[in-house]
Amino acid sequence: KLKEADEVNVAGNIKFYISEKGIKQTTLSKKSGIAPPKLNLILSWKQRLTVSDYVAICKALTVPAATFLEKEA
């Protein structure tokens, strides 16, 4: 298991954000340059989120890097 109980759920925060904004994973994939299968694995905690992928996601969503780092985004 990748995350610990007290760790911020960054992937979960991103998944919640795109759901609330009505953004599809395919759209985020195209804008971020992250392949759809890889993005799906990241957002479901089956693959680690790298810093470079995190930055690409934040840029694609045009949000500050700190956006998804809070315990409850």
Side-chain angles (χ1 to χ4, degrees):
K1 192 171 178 181
L2 294 177
K3 77 178 197 137
E4 296 176 12
D6 63 344
E7 187 175 50
V8 174
N9 185 352
V10 176
N13 289 347
I14 294 169
K15 195 171 185 177
F16 179 78
Y17 180 89
I18 65 173
S19 173
E20 288 290 303
K21 298 290 183 181
I23 300 167
K24 294 182 180 182
Q25 284 189 29
T26 51
T27 303
L28 180 56
S29 173
K30 288 176 187 172
K31 288 186 173 187
S32 66
I34 301 170
K38 181 180 179 183
L39 182 62
N40 184 273
L41 290 173
I42 289 169
L43 295 181
S44 59
W45 277 97
K46 294 178 182 166
Q47 182 167 331
R48 286 196 183 273
L49 175 63
T50 65
V51 172
S52 58
D53 287 340
Y54 180 70
V55 169
I57 289 169
C58 289
K59 284 184 178 179
L61 296 173
T62 61
V63 297
T67 301
F68 305 111
L69 299 179
E70 298 295 322
K71 287 209 181 231
E72 295 181 24

